[in-house]
């Protein structure tokens, strides 16, 4: 990809927001949806979320300082660093002179202010480059007018404009003049070979503040006169508040008051005006108001509440039974059907069928849910960590019967999100509490609150059936049964869609009162393990090489005209071949066993090989080799952090993550009963990128789904037995009995 000319038209109003900054300067920004390719469509996997595209702004001061606003929520995925890098590259300024500022919710100038689906860089790539290039061209035009020369005679480097006479002007010297010029209709985008910022390691713009404990996160936010709130929610799903006695709670030192909330949420639910993110509880809740978090939480423990079941309690055994019934039943929705799978099975030489199971999982963000709210007659001030700020503001407006224009929402950095903070229940609680108190209040959840009253990854079972005829795969049938459904999304159009003549994907769900939702890498975080384990077993039954089987199937997809297919067979083959080379596939010393996977999700192609050794009969993951094709890598340092974090997260939850319910109540309330991967268990990760000049795609999620499959296949190589159920390691009693692998 060489330098390109962009001739997208912008009017002055779209581009220039203001030219009169305090102290002088130029504020630049334009509607980036306009800058995107004309045929650009939102990703299929997020279509149901009704997200739009977004805007970006540049502020250039008279002294030449450049501030780039980052409008999207930062949850650790690095967009607060990488998105400004893209603008700065085309603007041609020195990165050391760039200041990055988190934008507030601004629906007039910004849209698609959301963190989800690993889509921020993918959607913003063309538009962000256009932002920087257009701003640079305006500054060059201003300099040319000031010198009275042709703009084509000028050059620019790191914010310094030069002419043939050797004269120079800084951006700050011409911002006032640039503000008076027309927005250019055509600009030239850089050739990737000329990049100075993109493709280089840049540290997180917040790293110094993070490591020194500066207030960045919602949990850090404080303001004058603020009180703290701790919410007592139903201890079991399906329960509602019957009555409570707060006399002991009010006696706790530091407790100011005890109130009840929930009426507004009930009215909103009754009116069915709630959008998908609401997750509003039908139960009233008891709220302890205090001078500090300790008093609020101690006061909550002292509340004597009586609860009743409004719907039958559910347990893990019940869910397991329901999911099996769904798999055995006929009430399915068919998402894709190519050919006739039943005919393929009837004519097959051999039919293979396997079932894979996964449990509920909590999100366990390092920072528990919290939010600040202050409601007055004039405005509603909201501050905190949320992945969907616009949806949160809209629902708060509905909840409180106010105009959304009354709401000012500031986003803080998030101490983890993983999909949990897509759901604004904690925002709505804070808003309703603040509306009742009419004073600034911070709602803070404890770890126990977070784990027991959260939004969980749904428990799921997959049944996969394949037909083999004359040594070829002739039929493939995937059935999914999930609690509350699994955001069906792209499941029917992932590999091996298009590679098997007779192919069908069916889904079914059981509606539960346990709240479920997106969990890091939605719908693929478990599916990848199931399908990639199945493909290894399929290769064994066919007498085929495990890697070659996948390569051969991908060959059949080349040249397809099926627009439903989301993955690229060529790019998938590329990562497969490279991971085989880099991992030493099949060449490891005795005692090291390898597992291979290749997977596509969130627009990125990934192949991984896990090296496993047995220690006292227990599988230990020693190393993962990962090859990623995500197009141009904007910030390699940040990309490695995402890739390694995703792999370790995927291994940890596949091997250890388990979450059960008994009579509607979570059995694990804290980390003494819920197992996470430990630092000493994190394997070495070697990452390689496919080098190309294709537009970048996401990295926050794509490496997580394949990790479990790579480990499962390595365990098979080590033990000769398959694992069909997550987690791979089970316990008789947490922390008391040696870890035992679950082998089928």
């Amino acid at each position: 990809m060489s330098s390109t000319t962009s001739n997208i038209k912008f009017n002055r109003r779209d581009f220039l927001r203001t030219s009169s900054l305090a102290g002088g300067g130029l504020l630049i920004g334009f509607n980036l949806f306009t800058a995107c390719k004309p045929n650009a469509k939102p990703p299929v996997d997020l279509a149901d979320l009704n997200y739009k595209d977004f805007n970006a702004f540049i502020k250039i001061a008279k002294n030449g300082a450049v501030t780039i606003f980052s409008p999207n929520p930062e949850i650790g995925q690095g967009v607060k660093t990488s998105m400004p890098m893209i603008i700065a590259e085309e603007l041609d300024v020195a990165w050391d002179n760039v200041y990055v500022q988190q934008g507030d919710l601004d629906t007039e100038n910004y849209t698609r202010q959301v963190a989800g689906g690993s889509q921020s860089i993918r959607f913003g790539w063309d538009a962000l480059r256009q932002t920087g290039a257009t701003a640079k061209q305006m500054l060059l035009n201003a300099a040319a007018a000031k010198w009275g020369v042709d703009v084509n005679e000028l050059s620019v480097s790191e914010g310094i404009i030069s002419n043939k006479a050797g004269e120079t002007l800084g951006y700050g010297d011409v911002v006032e003049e640039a503000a008076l010029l027309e927005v250019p209709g055509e600009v030239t985008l850089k050739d990737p070979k000329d990049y100075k910022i993109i493709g280089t390691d840049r540290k997180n713009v917040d790293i110094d503040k993070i490591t020194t404990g500066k207030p960045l996160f919602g949990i850090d936010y404080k303001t004058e006169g603020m009180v703290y709130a701790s919410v007592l929610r139903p201890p079991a799903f399906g329960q509602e508040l019957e009555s409570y006695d707060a006399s002991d709670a009010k006696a706790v030192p530091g407790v100011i008051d005890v109130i009840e909330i929930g009426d507004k949420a009930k009215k909103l639910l009754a009116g069915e005006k709630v959008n998908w993110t609401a997750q509003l509880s039908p139960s009233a809740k008891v709220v302890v108001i205090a001078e500090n978090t300790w008093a609020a939480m101690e006061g909550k423990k002292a509340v004597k509440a009586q609860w009743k079941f409004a719907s039958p309690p559910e347990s893990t055994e019940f869910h397991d039974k329901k999911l099996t019934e769904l798999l055995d039943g006929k009430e399915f929705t068919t998402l894709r059907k190519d050919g006739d799978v039943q005919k393929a099975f009837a004519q097959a030489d051999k039919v293979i069928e396997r079932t894979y199971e996964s449990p509920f999982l909590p999100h366990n963000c390092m920072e528990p849910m919290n939010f600040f709210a202050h409601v007055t007659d004039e405005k509603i001030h909201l501050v905190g960590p949320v992945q969907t700020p616009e949806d949160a503001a809209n629902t708060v407006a509905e909840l409180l019967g106010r105009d959304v224009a009354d709401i000012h929402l500031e986003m803080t950095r998030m101490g983890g999100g993983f999909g949990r903070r897509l759901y604004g229940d904690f925002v709505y609680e804070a808003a309703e509490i603040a509306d009742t108190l009419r004073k600034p209040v911070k709602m803070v959840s404890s770890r126990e609150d977070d784990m027991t009253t959260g939004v969980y990854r749904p428990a799921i079972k997959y049944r996969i059936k394949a037909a083999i005829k004359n040594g070829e795969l002739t039929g493939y049938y995937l059935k999914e049964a999930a609690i509350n459904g699994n955001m069906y999304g792209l499941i029917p159009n992932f590999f091996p869609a298009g590679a098997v003549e007779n192919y069908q994907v069916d889904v079914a769900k059981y509606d539960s009162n346990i709240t479920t939702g997106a969990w890091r890498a939605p719908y693929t975080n478990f599916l990848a393990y199931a399908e990639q384990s199945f493909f290894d077993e399929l290769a064994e039954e066919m007498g085929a090489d495990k890697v070659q089987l996948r390569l051969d199937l991908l060959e059949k997809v080349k040249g397809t005209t099926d627009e439903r297919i989301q993955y690229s067979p060529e790019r998938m083959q590329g990562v497969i071949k490279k991971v085989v080379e880099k991992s030493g596939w099949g060449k490891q010393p005795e005692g090291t066993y390898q597992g291979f996977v290749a997977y596509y999700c969130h627009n990125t192609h990934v192949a991984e090989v896990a090296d496993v050794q047995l220690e006292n009969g227990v599988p230990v993951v020693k190393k993962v080799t990962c090859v990623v094709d995500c197009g141009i890598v904007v910030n390699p340092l940040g990309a490695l952090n995402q890739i390694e974090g995703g792999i370790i997260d995927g291994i940890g939850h596949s091997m250890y993550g388990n979450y059960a319910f008994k009579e509607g109540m979570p059995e694990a309330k804290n980390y003494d009963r819920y197992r996470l991967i430990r630092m000493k268990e994190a394997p070495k990760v070697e990452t390689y990128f496919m080098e190309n000049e294709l537009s970048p795609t996401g990295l926050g999620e794509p490496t997580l789904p394949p990790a479990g499959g790579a480990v499962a296949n390595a365990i098979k190589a080590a033990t000769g037995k398959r694992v069909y159920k997550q987690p791979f390691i089970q316990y008789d009693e947490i922390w008391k009995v040696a870890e035992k692998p679950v082998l089928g």
Side-chain angles (χ1 to χ4, degrees), residues 1-2 125 191-193 195 198-199 568 570-572 574-575 578 603-605 627-634 688-697:
M1 181 173 65
S2 60
W125 174 247
D191 189 310
K193 67 180 177 59
Y195 287 162
I198 293 174
S568 162
E570 293 85 359
R571 296 176 77 174
M572 185 67 83
V575 296
K578 190 162 186 173
N603 312 105
T604 295
H605 301 77
V627 175
V628 177
D629 186 344
C630 60
I632 292 173
V633 181
V634 176
Y688 301 89
F689 293 102
M690 300 297 292
E691 295 184 6
N692 55 52
E693 294 182 357
L694 298 172
S695 297
T697 53

Side-chain angles (χ1 to χ4, degrees), residues 394-687:
N394 289 336
T395 303
V396 167
E398 292 182 5
L399 183 73
L400 303 185
R402 298 283 293 269
D403 191 320
V404 72
D406 294 344
I407 296 177
H408 173 68
L409 191 152
E410 299 174 33
M411 289 175 281
T412 62
R413 192 179 182 93
M414 289 174 245
F418 312 116
R420 173 63 182 94
R421 286 186 161 99
L422 290 170
Y423 308 95
D425 48 303
F426 47 94
V427 183
Y428 316 140
E429 287 178 345
E432 190 168 359
I433 295 166
D435 190 48
T436 301
L437 296 179
R438 289 298 173 123
K439 62 174 64 176
V441 61
K442 167 85 76 66
M443 189 290 295
V444 181
S445 293
S446 65
R447 176 61 58 197
E448 290 81 2
D449 293 332
D450 223 24
M451 287 187 69
T452 60
T453 60
V455 178
Y456 308 94
R457 183 186 81 171
I460 303 172
K461 289 190 180 184
Y462 285 111
R463 183 170 292 168
I464 310 176
K465 189 175 182 180
I468 301 171
K469 178 73 172 178
N470 298 326
E472 297 287 330
L473 177 62
T474 58
Y476 189 91
Y477 185 22
L478 171 67
K479 296 175 73 174
E480 176 195 84
I483 300 298
N484 295 329
N486 186 35
M487 296 180 65
Y488 303 139
L490 295 174
I491 287 176
N493 300 313
F494 282 171
F495 179 79
V500 186
E501 182 179 359
N502 304 293
Y503 175 84
Q504 186 167 332
V505 177
D506 288 348
V507 294
K509 65 174 182 173
Y510 169 75
D511 292 324
S512 170
N513 55 30
I514 295 173
T515 51
T516 61
W519 191 90
R520 189 175 185 180
Y523 52 73
T524 61
N525 50 60
F526 170 57
L527 175 61
Y529 146 70
E531 287 200 302
Q532 291 296 305
S533 295
F534 184 77
F535 267 98
D536 256 33
E537 197 158 357
L538 187 61
E540 292 166 2
E541 293 288 343
M542 295 171 66
D545 180 85
K546 296 168 185 175
V547 174
Q548 194 61 45
L549 173 63
R550 292 164 169 93
L551 290 173
D552 291 345
L553 287 169
L554 287 164
E555 197 67 28
K556 296 180 179 181
V557 190
K558 290 183 177 179
T560 182
T561 58
D562 187 345
E563 294 183 354
R564 296 171 296 174
I565 301 298
Q566 299 295 314
Y567 62 92
S568 162
E570 293 85 359
R571 296 176 77 174
M572 185 67 83
Q573 286 180 331
V575 296
I576 289 174
K577 292 174 181 178
K578 190 162 186 173
V579 85
V580 166
E581 172 198 348
K582 297 297 184 180
S583 68
W585 173 254
K587 301 175 183 177
Q588 294 303 305
E590 185 177 352
T592 297
Y593 306 90
Q594 293 186 306
F596 162 86
V597 299
Y599 204 69
Y600 165 91
C601 67
H602 297 87
N603 312 105
T604 295
H605 301 77
V606 176
E608 296 177 15
V609 170
D611 292 0
V612 165
Q613 296 177 3
L614 294 177
E615 297 181 1
N616 298 319
V618 176
V620 177
V621 185
K622 294 294 186 179
K623 177 184 173 184
V624 174
T625 305
C626 179
V627 175
V628 177
D629 186 344
C630 60
I632 292 173
V633 181
V634 176
N635 182 6
L637 179 61
L640 287 174
N641 290 338
Q642 293 301 304
I643 289 167
E644 294 175 4
I647 289 171
I648 293 168
D649 197 9
I651 291 172
H653 285 95
S654 295
M655 294 192 72
Y656 309 114
N658 198 4
Y659 206 69
F661 292 85
K662 186 173 183 179
E663 297 298 308
M665 188 177 296
E667 291 192 315
K669 298 182 179 181
N670 210 316
Y671 295 133
D672 60 335
R673 299 292 300 175
Y674 182 74
R675 179 77 153 84
L676 288 169
I677 192 170
R678 303 165 189 170
M679 290 182 69
K680 66 178 183 180
E681 294 163 338
K684 177 183 179 182
V685 178
E686 285 188 2
T687 300

Side-chain angles (χ1 to χ4, degrees), residues 168-228:
T168 61
L169 288 170
Y171 280 172
D173 298 325
V174 292
V175 290
E176 298 288 350
E177 292 85 349
L180 303 175
L181 300 180
E182 289 299 316
V183 178
E186 290 187 358
V187 294
T188 300
L189 303 178
K190 280 187 176 182
D191 189 310
K193 67 180 177 59
D194 297 325
Y195 287 162
K196 299 176 182 177
I197 298 174
I198 293 174
T200 62
D201 289 343
R202 304 292 169 167
K203 69 178 184 179
N204 187 313
V205 294
D206 286 336
I207 194 64
D208 292 336
K209 292 180 180 178
I210 292 171
T211 55
T212 56
K214 296 294 190 300
L216 281 171
F217 301 91
I219 205 79
D220 300 323
Y221 186 81
K222 295 180 181 179
T223 190
E224 185 76 21
M226 188 179 80
V227 296
Y228 296 83

Side-chain angles (χ1 to χ4, degrees), residues 615-618 656 675 729-742:
E615 297 181 1
N616 298 319
V618 176
Y656 309 114
R675 179 77 153 84
I729 303 293
Q730 298 282 315
Y731 308 88
D732 293 325
E733 289 184 57
I734 297 292
W735 316 127
K736 294 182 180 178
V737 177
E739 301 164 353
K740 300 178 180 179
V742 178

Side-chain angles (χ1 to χ4, degrees), residues 33-220:
F33 181 76
T34 308
C36 288
K37 297 175 182 177
N39 61 351
K41 297 179 181 178
V44 180
D45 54 343
L46 289 180
D48 293 338
L49 308 189
N50 295 318
Y51 293 155
K52 303 174 183 177
D53 217 11
F54 57 92
N55 294 343
F57 293 93
I58 305 167
K59 183 170 68 176
I60 302 176
K62 287 189 69 175
N63 65 2
V66 177
T67 298
I68 299 178
F69 291 83
S70 181
N72 280 29
E74 173 60 65
I75 54 174
Q77 83 280 41
V79 295
K80 193 175 176 182
T81 303
S82 55
M83 294 178 80
M85 284 176 65
I86 298 169
I87 295 175
E89 180 67 73
E90 293 290 351
L91 183 60
D92 219 329
V93 293
W95 182 248
D96 290 344
N97 294 334
V98 171
Y99 302 88
V100 177
Q101 185 173 328
Q102 177 66 58
D104 297 335
L105 176 65
D106 182 351
T107 56
E108 180 179 349
N109 294 321
Y110 298 146
T111 53
R112 202 194 180 274
Q113 287 184 273
V114 64
S118 300
Q119 297 299 314
S120 295
I121 297 299
R122 175 176 174 258
F123 267 171
W125 174 247
D126 290 334
L128 293 168
R129 289 190 300 154
Q130 181 76 25
T131 302
T134 303
K136 179 176 74 173
Q137 189 62 53
M138 293 181 71
L139 293 159
L140 283 168
N141 291 346
K146 196 167 188 173
W147 279 322
V149 299
D150 190 306
V151 70
N152 294 318
E153 298 178 8
L154 306 184
S155 61
V156 61
S157 177
E158 297 190 336
I160 303 298
I161 303 169
S162 303
N163 63 23
K164 288 185 175 181
E167 298 172 300
T168 61
L169 288 170
Y171 280 172
D173 298 325
V174 292
V175 290
E176 298 288 350
E177 292 85 349
L180 303 175
L181 300 180
E182 289 299 316
V183 178
E186 290 187 358
V187 294
T188 300
L189 303 178
K190 280 187 176 182
D191 189 310
K193 67 180 177 59
D194 297 325
Y195 287 162
K196 299 176 182 177
I197 298 174
I198 293 174
T200 62
D201 289 343
R202 304 292 169 167
K203 69 178 184 179
N204 187 313
V205 294
D206 286 336
I207 194 64
D208 292 336
K209 292 180 180 178
I210 292 171
T211 55
T212 56
K214 296 294 190 300
L216 281 171
F217 301 91
I219 205 79
D220 300 323

